[in-house]
């Protein structure tokens, strides 16, 4: 148990480090000089040289990488050459705002997908299952920006209850941003739910056909008790992984949806940085996304281990 | 490779696994697969035959006809630049389909080769490759795409390259898992015992037995790629403005959505039916060939 946890931790750290290497390599080593990239093609040679100096580009890439990663560990991602501010100062408020959407989306999507998946699995091939499967297919097939656009049409224009566009600064207090969180959360939840439901349904069907569920039924337990106490914990195991995988998608999905609502989150910062060619900011966002992804997968793996006695190998530290 | 090996028993479980060996009848019996493949073929046909289906130009501006509602001249109305919406929707699939299929084909081909090779090789090479791929997987696709587009500039070729880069690791995971199931089987051991090299084993023994997995993966992956590329166009990094493209049309026309709903709804419907078609194909084919899709979480 302890050994497995340690091995998993080491491999998580290694994965994040490798991602950082890849991101750094993609940004710094691809054809074209970073200083020219930032300033654009028609910058004067003097300006390029000055920026090269400021960004320390004259030192070897490996040294710069080690410097950068050492700073990143302490939360210092360097200085944005576009705005002149420290990257971290730009990053944290946007990250906080995106977390508002991400956390509420995960909460809504996980709850609704577990409920819908269990219903679909229990009513296999009958009308509730057919209905849920059809809705799932539609949810999977409509891009999140379309979902967001349709929601704006429905809930901001036809029935004006929620704001279609956010005008707040990134540093606005959380309370001011809350109304703006609702629509992006709905748009992202619909798509995320669609993917998780499929997995939950399949694993509910598998578990309900298993011997221990039959035993529980034969003992004379009521169906709700069999489902909630016996089947659900096992059925949710494979779902944990799918949820973790979906978080990686969420980081990308958030970017597009934030753009529709002009919401001041990490996605908006990402697109701004792409437009301004602000590479240090992009680099920082990529590494933080990778970190979030790896942490979620780690949590899912450790959670699955805690829930599944068969995965607790090596030592009897826990029964 | 010697001639005698041509007749080696490479596909013993043909009945359950070999798609090409199965008759079209099985395919036609699966309603899901039929509807899905039908939708995809319909979209391909419309994109290819667009110039025959409409005489209007998808890019010519006619300021006098701007923002018209649906009528006999313009069935779905016109957009802010006076371009016929229906014409642009019919042409709109060309960019999305061409770029998506090229990118999916590259990612699936590269992923299949890498996945099979790493499964056969095993050991340290396999471990190292999977580590690197895990690291690539940790970066969100749209962000990776945007970084590549920022550094190399937008353009269909760059997008194909970037999508290949982003989605190959996922294909490798799926194909590797399938190949690992085949690798310990007797006919692979026999080929190894005959002293065959890795490449011929891969092409003759392993690949024919996982073709069905690759086919399902292709349909599934294509649906993701279509969504990703339309998102990119919507954000303004995909198709360039006069090009008729669904993602671009949605972003151009959504400000006028209340006045002219069809200008936005028509490309949405076109895009959604294409993705529904791809998803149904993947569902139908995987049920038909009993492909386990638990590896395809994302």
């Amino acid at each position: 148990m302890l050994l497995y946890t340690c091995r998993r931790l080491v491999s998580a750290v290694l994965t994040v480090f490798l991602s950082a290497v890849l991101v750094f390599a993609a940004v710094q080593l691809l054809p074209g000089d970073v200083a020219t990239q930032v300033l654009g093609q028609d910058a004067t040679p003097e300006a390029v040289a000055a920026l090269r100096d400021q960004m320390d580009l004259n030192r070897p890439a490996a040294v710069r990488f080690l410097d950068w990663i050492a700073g990143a560990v302490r939360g210092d991602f360097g200085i944005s050459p576009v705005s002149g501010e420290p990257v971290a100062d730009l990053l944290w408020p946007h990250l906080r705002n995106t977390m508002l959407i991400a956390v509420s989306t995960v909460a809504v999507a996980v709850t609704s997908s577990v409920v819908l998946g269990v219903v679909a699995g229990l009513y296999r091939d009958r009308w509730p299952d057919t209905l849920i499967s059809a809705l799932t297919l539609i949810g999977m097939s409509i891009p999140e920006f379309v979902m967001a656009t349709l929601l704006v049409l429905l809930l901001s224009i036809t029935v004006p209850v929620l704001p279609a566009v956010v005008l707040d600064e990134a540093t606005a207090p959380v309370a001011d941003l809350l109304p703006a969180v609702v629509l992006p959360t709905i748009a992202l939840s619909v798509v995320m739910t669609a993917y998780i439901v499929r997995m939950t349904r399949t694993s509910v069907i598998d578990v309900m056909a298993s011997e221990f569920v039959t035993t529980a039924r034969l003992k004379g337990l009521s169906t709700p008790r069999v489902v909630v106490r016996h089947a659900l914990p096992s059925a949710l195991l494979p779902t944990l992984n799918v949820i973790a995988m979906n978080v990686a998608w969420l980081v990308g999905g958030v970017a597009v949806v934030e753009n529709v609502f002009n919401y001041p989150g990490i996605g908006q910062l990402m697109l701004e940085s792409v437009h301004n060619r602000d590479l240090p900011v992009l680099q920082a966002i990529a590494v933080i996304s990778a970190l979030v992804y790896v942490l979620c997968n780690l949590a899912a793996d450790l959670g699955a281990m805690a829930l599944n006695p068969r995965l607790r190998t090596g030592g009897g530290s826990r029964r | 490779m010697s001639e005698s090996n041509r007749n080696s028993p490479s596909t013993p479980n043909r009945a359950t696994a070999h798609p090409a060996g199965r008759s079209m009848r099985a395919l036609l019996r699966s309603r899901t697969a039929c509807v899905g493949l039908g939708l995809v073929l319909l979209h391909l046909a419309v994109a290819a035959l667009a110039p025959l289906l409409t005489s209007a130009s998808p890019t010519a501006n006619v300021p006098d006809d701007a923002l018209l509602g649906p009528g006999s001249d313009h069935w779905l109305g016109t957009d802010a630049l006076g371009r016929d919406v229906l014409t642009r929707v019919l042409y709109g699939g060309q960019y999305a389909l061409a770029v998506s299929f090229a990118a999916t084909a590259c990612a699936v081909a590269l992923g299949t080769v890498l996945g099979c090779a790493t499964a056969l090789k095993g050991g340290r090479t396999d471990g190292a490759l999977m580590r690197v791929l895990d690291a690539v997987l940790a970066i969100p696709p749209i962000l990776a795409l945007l970084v590549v587009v920022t550094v190399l500039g937008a353009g269909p070729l760059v997008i194909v390259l970037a999508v290949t880069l982003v989605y190959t690791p996922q294909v490798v995971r799926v194909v590797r898992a399938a190949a690992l199931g085949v690798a310990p089987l007797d006919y692979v051991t026999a080929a190894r015992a005959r002293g065959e090299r890795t490449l011929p084993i891969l092409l003759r023994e392993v690949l024919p037995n996982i073709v069905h997995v690759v086919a399902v993966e292709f349909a599934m992956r294509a649906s993701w790629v279509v969504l990703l590329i339309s998102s990119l166009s919507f954000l303004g990094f995909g198709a360039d403005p006069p090009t008729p493209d669904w993602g671009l049309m949605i972003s151009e026309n959504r400000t006028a959505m209340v006045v002219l709903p069809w200008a936005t709804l028509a490309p949405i419907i076109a895009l959604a039916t294409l993705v529904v078609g791809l998803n149904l194909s993947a569902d139908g084919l995987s049920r038909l060939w009993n492909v386990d899709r638990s590896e395809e979480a994302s």
Side-chain angles (χ1 to χ4, degrees), chain A residues 74-125:
Chain A
R74 282 180 276 120
D76 170 17
F77 291 97
I79 288 172
S80 154
V82 176
S83 66
E85 285 175 65
V87 174
D89 287 3
L90 289 169
L91 208 58
W92 297 129
H94 286 94
L95 189 64
R96 179 203 66 176
N97 298 343
T98 292
M99 288 306 281
L100 282 180
I101 295 185
V103 170
S104 45
T105 302
V106 170
V108 172
V110 169
T111 320
S112 55
S113 56
V114 167
V115 172
L116 289 175
V118 169
V119 170
L122 292 180
Y123 289 87
R124 185 183 185 181
D125 294 334

Side-chain angles (χ1 to χ4, degrees), chain A residues 139-184:
Chain A
M140 282 173 69
S141 305
I142 296 184
E144 56 277 8
F145 65 87
V146 168
M147 197 66 78
T149 308
L150 293 176
L151 282 172
V152 169
L153 181 65
L154 199 69
L155 289 174
S156 302
I157 299 175
T158 318
V159 191
V161 281
L162 290 162
V165 169
V166 190
L167 300 170
D168 294 301
E169 290 282 305
T171 45
V174 174
D176 289 4
L177 285 168
L178 280 182
V181 169
V182 180
L183 285 184

Side-chain angles (χ1 to χ4, degrees), chain A residues 14-261:
Chain A
L14 199 66
T15 309
V16 174
F17 182 77
L18 262 176
S19 303
V21 173
L22 286 175
V23 169
F24 191 85
V27 171
Q28 309 271 331
L29 303 180
L30 277 178
D33 173 68
V34 181
T36 323
Q37 295 277 1
V38 170
L39 293 171
Q41 289 302 326
D42 33 58
T44 59
E46 292 80 36
V48 173
L51 188 65
R52 285 189 68 88
D53 235 30
Q54 190 201 325
M55 291 175 77
D56 270 345
L57 289 181
N58 297 318
R59 290 188 301 150
V63 177
R64 272 185 289 133
F65 174 73
L66 289 177
D67 253 17
W68 176 67
I69 205 88
V73 171
R74 282 180 276 120
D76 170 17
F77 291 97
I79 288 172
S80 154
V82 176
S83 66
E85 285 175 65
V87 174
D89 287 3
L90 289 169
L91 208 58
W92 297 129
H94 286 94
L95 189 64
R96 179 203 66 176
N97 298 343
T98 292
M99 288 306 281
L100 282 180
I101 295 185
V103 170
S104 45
T105 302
V106 170
V108 172
V110 169
T111 320
S112 55
S113 56
V114 167
V115 172
L116 289 175
V118 169
V119 170
L122 292 180
Y123 289 87
R124 185 183 185 181
D125 294 334
R126 280 186 277 165
W127 71 265
D129 181 28
T130 316
L131 180 70
I132 291 173
S133 297
L135 290 176
T136 308
L137 184 69
I138 294 171
M140 282 173 69
S141 305
I142 296 184
E144 56 277 8
F145 65 87
V146 168
M147 197 66 78
T149 308
L150 293 176
L151 282 172
V152 169
L153 181 65
L154 199 69
L155 289 174
S156 302
I157 299 175
T158 318
V159 191
V161 281
L162 290 162
V165 169
V166 190
L167 300 170
D168 294 301
E169 290 282 305
T171 45
V174 174
D176 289 4
L177 285 168
L178 280 182
V181 169
V182 180
L183 285 184
T185 300
I186 300 177
L188 289 165
S189 301
V190 169
V191 183
M192 197 167 160
T193 305
Y195 284 103
I196 306 177
V197 163
R198 288 165 71 95
M199 191 68 227
T200 320
R201 175 185 177 272
T202 318
S203 66
V204 165
I205 289 174
D206 285 352
V207 171
M208 289 307 283
S210 70
E211 282 168 3
F212 71 89
V213 170
T214 313
T215 311
R217 277 184 187 285
L218 290 177
K219 278 198 297 187
L221 297 181
S222 65
T223 306
R225 198 179 158 84
V226 172
V227 172
V228 174
R229 293 292 297 277
H230 294 254
L232 214 50
S234 311
L236 290 184
L237 274 178
T239 314
L240 267 180
N241 251 323
V242 178
I243 294 171
M245 292 293 252
N246 263 287
V247 173
W249 167 83
L250 191 61
V251 180
V254 156
V256 185
V257 169
E258 280 177 2
N259 182 262
V260 175
F261 295 100

Side-chain angles (χ1 to χ4, degrees), chain B residues 81-99:
Chain B
L81 296 174
R83 298 172 295 196
D84 182 54
V85 170
L86 181 60
T87 305
R88 283 177 68 77
V89 169
L90 293 177
Y91 276 94
Q94 290 180 345
Y95 177 87
L97 284 168
V99 175

